[in-house]
Amino acid sequence: MKFIYSDSHKLHFPQAEYHRGEMVTPFEKPERIEQITARLDEVGFTGIQCDELWDSEPVLKVHSADYLQFLKTAWQEWLAAGFNGDLMAGNFPVRRMQQRCPKHIDGKAGFYSSGNDTSINAGTWEAAQASCMATQRAQKVVANGDAACLALCRPPGHHAGKDLFGGYCFLNNAAVAAQMFLDQGAKKVAIIDIDFHHGNGTQDIFYERGDVLFASLHGQPEDSYPYYSGYADETGKGDGAGCNFNFPMPPGTRYETWAQALEDAIFHIQKFRAAALIVSLGVDTYKEDPISFFGLETEDYLQCGKHLSQLNLPTVFVLEGGYALDMVGQNVANVLLGFEGC
């Protein structure tokens, strides 16, 4: 299997995030990609450096134009306002407040953000574009005949909504890949999100659309980020009614329980008759992940890959989370090895 990456991901490296009452070094850091790339090389996968220009057309079908303009200019506006340090939202348009975008960058940051866990620095926009480029290249590899391909996306994307960034995410790479398959003629596409955290951004984008099925396996929102979405009764709306499936699970969930949810999601995807599959590949379900509470073992990811291969669909893997640096490379590699039947 090929994997696509870009060294431009290193341009995005905020220096702090707010976590449990204190400022800490972000868990989502450049070393994640270095660890994964090294392990994928060791097991024999083929890495392709991606430096081509991105195609904005499918991106504009899943994100609003005003939001993309905000991401493009936010850092320059932040500096022009005389602020020091990384851009981090501090004010939000909560219940019963006006939903109007302010002129000032401090207000804009909160208007387009879902929380203060995610910062923007000088290289964020370029890194986010490069992450999306890697996804677009991986989709083209699969569309041209490969059974599967991995986009090593950093920053990740599944928490990015139509017009919101958060959860380390700015552009929704999985959504872009799905839209590309549709633009190329596919009638239906499925996205399965196996990251520990609910893919609230992906759900937001496709919740009222019937051409994309979204299924997410994640920590129950009563106890885990993003807290305000991911309940089982969120099943879609309008044209998307019955196309959204959430599988929230409690603290301490181990593979046996998690795998049953995976099988249920696979059943719904088979019934949907999708022409292609996008896997939001997060391995923060691992037992030692520092910001999660499931109990999956490294060997379980081999079985996960085998389960996904049952769908027998052209498949684009899109990297999301996974923050146990010592094992993130092996856990990602095991999903791909299992998928290939190794």
Side-chain angles (χ1 to χ4, degrees), residues 150-267:
L150 167 67
L152 275 185
C153 295
R154 184 181 176 274
H158 71 147
H159 295 307
K162 297 175 185 176
D163 53 4
L164 288 171
F165 73 93
Y168 308 140
C169 302
F170 302 94
L171 297 175
N172 196 305
N173 302 305
V176 170
Q179 187 63 53
M180 290 177 70
F181 277 116
L182 294 169
D183 291 347
Q184 293 161 8
K187 299 299 182 183
K188 294 180 178 180
V189 177
I191 301 175
I192 185 167
D193 190 325
I194 60 173
D195 186 276
F196 169 81
H197 303 93
H198 178 239
N200 59 304
T202 313
Q203 175 173 295
D204 173 54
I205 290 167
F206 296 115
Y207 202 65
E208 298 186 41
R209 287 176 53 171
D211 52 357
V212 176
L213 179 148
F214 177 62
S216 178
L217 288 63
H218 50 268
Q220 61 189 24
E222 296 95 328
D223 296 304
S224 61
Y225 181 89
Y227 296 111
Y228 311 112
S229 70
Y231 289 89
D233 60 1
E234 297 164 16
T235 57
K237 183 179 179 182
D239 290 344
C243 295
N244 196 88
F245 298 91
N246 287 323
F247 300 90
M249 289 167 273
T253 293
R254 299 184 67 82
Y255 185 72
E256 293 74 17
T257 300
W258 189 89
Q260 182 57 61
L262 179 62
E263 284 296 317
D264 289 347
I266 288 172
F267 169 79

Side-chain angles (χ1 to χ4, degrees), residues 5 17 43 60 91 129 153 160 162 190 243 255 277 290 294:
Y5 68 97
E17 71 169 277
V43 299
L60 282 164
N91 305 278
Q129 283 184 294
C153 295
K162 297 175 185 176
C243 295
Y255 185 72
L277 177 69
F294 284 173

Side-chain angles (χ1 to χ4, degrees), residues 13 28 44 61 80 102 111 118 133 189 208 228 267 280 296 313:
F13 189 15
E28 204 293 292
K61 292 181 179 179
F111 183 80
T118 304
M133 288 179 211
V189 177
E208 298 186 41
Y228 311 112
F267 169 79
S280 274
L296 272 64
L313 289 172

Side-chain angles (χ1 to χ4, degrees), residues 9-221:
H9 78 89
K10 298 175 184 177
L11 298 173
H12 172 68
F13 189 15
Q15 297 306 295
E17 71 169 277
Y18 180 78
H19 177 69
R20 297 174 183 173
E22 58 183 346
M23 301 303 292
V24 301
T25 301
F27 294 98
E28 204 293 292
K29 60 186 68 175
E31 290 93 322
R32 296 179 62 240
I33 298 299
E34 295 165 10
Q35 292 284 347
I36 296 169
T37 301
R39 187 58 187 145
L40 294 179
D41 285 337
E42 287 175 2
V43 299
F45 291 112
T46 303
I48 300 174
Q49 169 84 315
C50 180
D51 294 314
E52 60 194 55
L53 296 175
W54 76 330
D55 178 5
S56 62
E57 184 175 348
V59 184
L60 282 164
K61 292 181 179 179
V62 300
H63 291 297
S64 68
D66 61 297
Y67 171 62
L68 296 179
Q69 182 63 25
F70 162 77
L71 291 178
K72 183 178 180 180
T73 63
W75 180 249
Q76 287 73 28
E77 291 186 53
W78 186 255
L79 295 180
F83 295 145
N84 297 313
D86 296 335
L87 182 158
M88 182 181 294
N91 305 278
F92 302 93
V94 297
R95 290 183 293 278
R96 294 174 295 283
M97 296 183 75
Q98 290 288 341
Q99 302 299 306
R100 302 180 188 182
C101 185
K103 291 182 179 180
H104 197 280
I105 186 58
D106 193 29
K108 281 185 181 180
F111 183 80
Y112 287 112
S113 174
S114 61
N116 62 358
D117 55 353
T118 304
S119 301
I120 292 174
N121 65 8
T124 298
W125 174 237
E126 186 174 344
Q129 283 184 294
S131 182
C132 189
M133 288 179 211
T135 301
Q136 292 181 333
R137 179 70 177 274
Q139 191 278 337
K140 291 174 184 176
V141 167
V142 173
N144 288 333
D146 282 28
C149 187
L150 167 67
L152 275 185
C153 295
R154 184 181 176 274
H158 71 147
H159 295 307
K162 297 175 185 176
D163 53 4
L164 288 171
F165 73 93
Y168 308 140
C169 302
F170 302 94
L171 297 175
N172 196 305
N173 302 305
V176 170
Q179 187 63 53
M180 290 177 70
F181 277 116
L182 294 169
D183 291 347
Q184 293 161 8
K187 299 299 182 183
K188 294 180 178 180
V189 177
I191 301 175
I192 185 167
D193 190 325
I194 60 173
D195 186 276
F196 169 81
H197 303 93
H198 178 239
N200 59 304
T202 313
Q203 175 173 295
D204 173 54
I205 290 167
F206 296 115
Y207 202 65
E208 298 186 41
R209 287 176 53 171
D211 52 357
V212 176
L213 179 148
F214 177 62
S216 178
L217 288 63
H218 50 268
Q220 61 189 24

